[in-house]
Amino acid sequence: MLPGGTQLPIWRLDGVILMALLHAGPVEFVYYWLHRALHHHYLYSRYHSHHHSSIVTEPITSVTHPFAELITYYVLFSTPLITTVLTGAGSIVLAFGYITYIDLMNNMGHCNFELIPKWLFTIFPPLKYLMYTPSFHSLHHTQFRANYSLFMPLYDYLFSTVDKTSDTLYETSLKKQDDSLDVVYLTHLTTPESIYHMRLGLVSLASKPHHHASSEWYKWLLWPVTLLSMMITWIYGRTFVVERNRLNKLKLQTWAISKYNMQRQNESINRLIEEAILEAEEKGARVISLGLLNQGEELNRYGGLFVHKNPELKIKVVDGSSLAVAVLTNSIPDGTTQVVIRGILTKVAYATAFALCQKGIQVVTLREDEHEKLIRSFGGKSESKNLLVSRSYCQKIWLVGNGLTEEEQSKAERGTMFVPFSQFPPAKKRRKDCTYHLTPAMATPAALENVDSCENWLPRRVMSAWRIGGIVHALEGWNEHECGYTISNVDTVWDAALRHGFVPLTIPTQS
């Protein structure tokens, strides 16, 4: 449509300078007086009041205008674009850059959240007249007769229409009070692409279990971004907030350590965990629960290392093992007489084996060394008579942990149900004619708010037992640690979880 419009270069510096002058001059000046005119009672009642129906603004407010206003704005904002093209100074970067600038500043001004740091104005004081802040424009939506400027407050200062409280509101908006909290769940990044499965990442991935979205083809295209995120987390090297939830009056937060599975250096990880525990206590949290590899035996003895090192801790360290055991024992179908236990034996595995033996269910191991470890863990109690060693694979219920091999899976009977006792599910689900249960978890109560993403490989609104254990601990007001090699009463914890609305998961139908 415009002469020269079909042959725009990628970049021209003179066009950028011209565009900046056109925006700062005619566009901002004309918009200021047009905006003041729209606040005249005649135009305000017929047009602009529609936009001001949002007293508490949000980004979408920036584009809620009557049709006539929108046409006027399009004409005004297209003037610099058309002018630069007609003068031969236009470029592709300039066109896209200016449109992006308009939308970005417009949305930012209506976001109702102060995000412009003070140091920016300290370094360059004149910026105060060249760039507005969300708090500056929010006053326009509450006071109506002030702060008319588009993006540059310069004209409000020139024509004395600046609200006197603009600077004060900006200062107070930046003074954010620390969020009060009751429970912290401390997890960590797993695989390099796990950053996309958080609320901070991609919504489409965060709303699906990790393994369902792990094969998306476009994730290969995102590898440059993935590597960049790894570098950022490595440089940042601290704990960050992933999610904030509320369960009735209980305030919950999920924190993540910026380390991946492949970066499990014991000393540095333990230092980060200890710092997180002390920070959570300082912020008033009553319970912190350790998730995934943060509670490994070889790392910190299921969290017991921190309690031993800091005996004066007021915050309770919970590993949630007792609830994990309760979930596992209650996942065994009625009428089961034997279960196989296979994998690297952990605190949960030992406690689950003991609980099942107490119920009269025989626990079968496939290796002599694992059988001997279980016998020793029972301490000579009579329940050890229900521990057996077998070379057959006829049992239909397998409790499995890390270390389960594909060969062992292939030997299981058709229709076998594999029930993980570990934090992580089996790496490779080889059998199509068998069922694989989720890692120990429960469905959350309807009262749990702000659940926007899945917890790793678990479905939406399903939470791991280790995480729920900390929440139940706080809800019940229990005043002891649940970490190290100690474990709380399994039945008591299970009853408390059910009483507070957590729901057992449906056991998959066997083939």
Side-chain angles (χ1 to χ4, degrees):
M1 292 176 65
L2 300 176
T6 58
Q7 298 177 347
L8 289 178
I10 297 296
W11 167 260
R12 284 194 58 155
L13 179 60
D14 57 347
V16 174
I17 296 172
L18 178 60
M19 178 75 79
L21 293 173
L22 287 169
H23 178 81
V27 172
E28 289 279 352
F29 181 79
V30 171
Y31 179 89
Y32 173 83
W33 286 107
L34 171 64
H35 198 179
R36 287 191 66 169
L38 287 170
H39 276 262
H40 184 275
H41 62 84
Y42 181 84
L43 292 177
Y44 185 85
S45 61
R46 288 165 175 78
Y47 293 101
H48 201 53
S49 59
H50 176 69
H51 177 70
H52 274 273
S53 60
S54 295
I55 297 174
V56 179
T57 60
E58 52 186 320
I60 196 66
T61 307
S62 64
V63 289
T64 53
H65 296 283
F67 181 72
E69 269 191 60
L70 286 174
I71 294 299
T72 306
Y73 296 148
Y74 285 147
V75 170
L76 182 60
F77 297 147
S78 64
T79 302
L81 289 170
I82 295 172
T83 304
T84 52
V85 172
L86 292 177
T87 56
S91 67
I92 294 173
V93 171
L94 182 63
F96 281 92
Y98 185 65
I99 294 170
T100 303
Y101 166 76
I102 293 292
D103 280 345
L104 179 66
M105 294 296 288
N106 200 13
N107 278 268
M108 184 198 74
H110 292 86
C111 73
N112 200 39
F113 179 83
E114 189 53 72
L115 47 81
I116 307 299
K118 189 176 180 179
W119 59 262
L120 210 59
F121 298 104
T122 304
I123 294 174
F124 187 62
L127 192 64
K128 173 181 179 179
Y129 305 103
L130 303 178
M131 184 179 77
Y132 75 167
T133 64
S135 59
F136 182 90
H137 191 69
S138 69
L139 281 169
H140 174 72
H141 278 261
T142 55
Q143 303 302 324
F144 298 102
R145 299 287 182 180
N147 297 8
Y148 294 105
S149 293
L150 177 58
F151 307 139
M152 298 171 58
L154 172 66
Y155 294 100
D156 278 305
Y157 282 100
L158 286 175
F159 299 108
S160 303
T161 52
V162 175
D163 191 282
K164 295 179 181 179
T165 63
S166 296
D167 291 339
T168 306
L169 180 62
Y170 173 71
E171 297 277 351
T172 54
S173 298
L174 287 175
K175 294 176 182 177
K176 303 178 184 68
Q177 295 181 351
D178 289 336
D179 293 336
S180 60
L181 70 159
D182 300 298
V183 181
V184 171
Y185 174 65
L186 187 64
T187 183
H188 59 79
L189 298 167
T190 52
T191 59
E193 64 270 12
S194 62
I195 194 79
Y196 300 123
H197 296 266
M198 298 180 175
R199 292 184 66 192
L200 305 172
L202 302 175
V203 174
S204 60
L205 295 183
S207 62
K208 293 184 288 188
H210 197 326
H211 62 279
H212 284 184
S214 60
S215 59
E216 299 287 358
W217 60 270
Y218 55 81
K219 293 178 77 173
W220 290 101
L221 302 178
L222 290 172
W223 258 105
V225 181
T226 306
L227 293 175
L228 178 63
S229 70
M230 290 182 68
M231 291 177 62
I232 292 173
T233 54
W234 179 70
I235 294 170
Y236 182 71
R238 295 195 296 277
T239 303
F240 58 94
V241 179
V242 175
E243 193 173 62
R244 293 175 173 86
N245 309 102
R246 181 188 287 269
L247 179 58
N248 298 324
K249 294 183 179 180
L250 204 68
K251 296 179 181 178
L252 319 171
Q253 287 187 12
T254 299
W255 297 359
I257 289 176
S258 55
K259 296 288 185 181
Y260 298 87
N261 285 352
M262 55 191 172
Q263 297 175 299
R264 307 304 294 179
Q265 304 94 343
N266 287 13
E267 187 176 340
S268 61
I269 295 293
N270 278 339
R271 177 175 50 79
L272 289 171
I273 295 173
E274 185 174 10
E275 288 174 357
I277 292 173
L278 297 176
E279 182 183 354
E281 180 173 83
E282 185 180 345
K283 290 187 174 183
R286 290 181 280 148
V287 173
I288 183 167
S289 53
L290 305 180
L292 299 182
L293 299 179
N294 288 341
Q295 53 164 278
E297 180 181 20
E298 70 288 347
L299 183 69
N300 51 51
R301 301 196 297 274
Y302 306 114
L305 182 67
F306 307 115
V307 174
H308 178 74
K309 190 176 179 181
N310 302 279
E312 302 301 321
L313 276 178
K314 294 180 181 178
I315 189 172
K316 302 307 172 187
V317 181
V318 175
D319 65 5
S321 295
S322 56
L323 185 57
V325 173
V327 170
L328 287 165
T329 55
N330 284 279
S331 297
I332 306 301
D334 293 336
T336 301
T337 58
Q338 279 191 349
V339 299
V340 170
I341 189 164
R342 175 69 198 99
I344 299 173
L345 297 177
T346 61
K347 174 183 177 180
V348 170
Y350 288 120
T352 302
F354 185 77
L356 291 175
C357 288
Q358 279 186 317
K359 291 183 175 184
I361 299 174
Q362 293 179 329
V363 177
V364 179
T365 58
L366 304 176
R367 300 186 181 186
E368 289 284 354
D369 59 328
E370 292 174 356
H371 180 257
E372 292 174 5
K373 289 179 180 177
L374 286 170
I375 289 283
R376 287 199 300 270
S377 71
F378 280 29
K381 293 180 180 178
S382 59
E383 286 81 3
S384 60
K385 67 178 183 295
N386 287 324
L387 293 174
L388 305 176
V389 181
S390 176
R391 292 285 181 262
S392 69
Y393 295 82
C394 61
Q395 295 80 10
K396 289 297 186 77
I397 306 294
W398 284 39
L399 297 175
V400 297
N402 299 328
L404 176 71
T405 65
E406 291 185 63
E407 180 184 359
E408 288 167 332
Q409 291 185 58
S410 65
K411 293 180 180 179
E413 289 277 323
R414 182 177 183 177
T416 295
M417 183 170 72
F418 296 98
V419 183
F421 61 76
S422 60
Q423 296 264 12
F424 292 83
K428 293 183 178 179
K429 299 178 180 179
R430 180 181 177 87
R431 299 289 297 274
K432 301 296 183 184
D433 57 350
C434 297
T435 54
Y436 291 83
H437 202 14
L438 295 172
T439 52
M442 300 179 77
T444 57
L448 183 65
E449 301 174 12
N450 205 30
V451 183
D452 298 318
S453 56
C454 291
E455 184 183 343
N456 299 316
W457 39 84
L458 298 174
R460 191 79 173 274
R461 295 195 69 87
V462 172
M463 194 176 283
S464 70
W466 292 275
R467 185 176 176 184
I468 297 172
I471 298 173
V472 171
H473 207 90
L475 288 169
E476 290 292 310
W478 291 328
N479 199 32
E480 68 276 350
H481 299 285
E482 186 197 325
C483 57
Y485 295 105
T486 61
I487 194 164
S488 301
N489 185 284
V490 173
D491 293 331
T492 301
V493 174
W494 177 251
D495 291 339
L498 296 177
R499 190 168 61 254
H500 288 292
F502 292 95
V503 181
L505 302 179
T506 303
I507 299 175
T509 303
Q510 296 190 49
S511 305

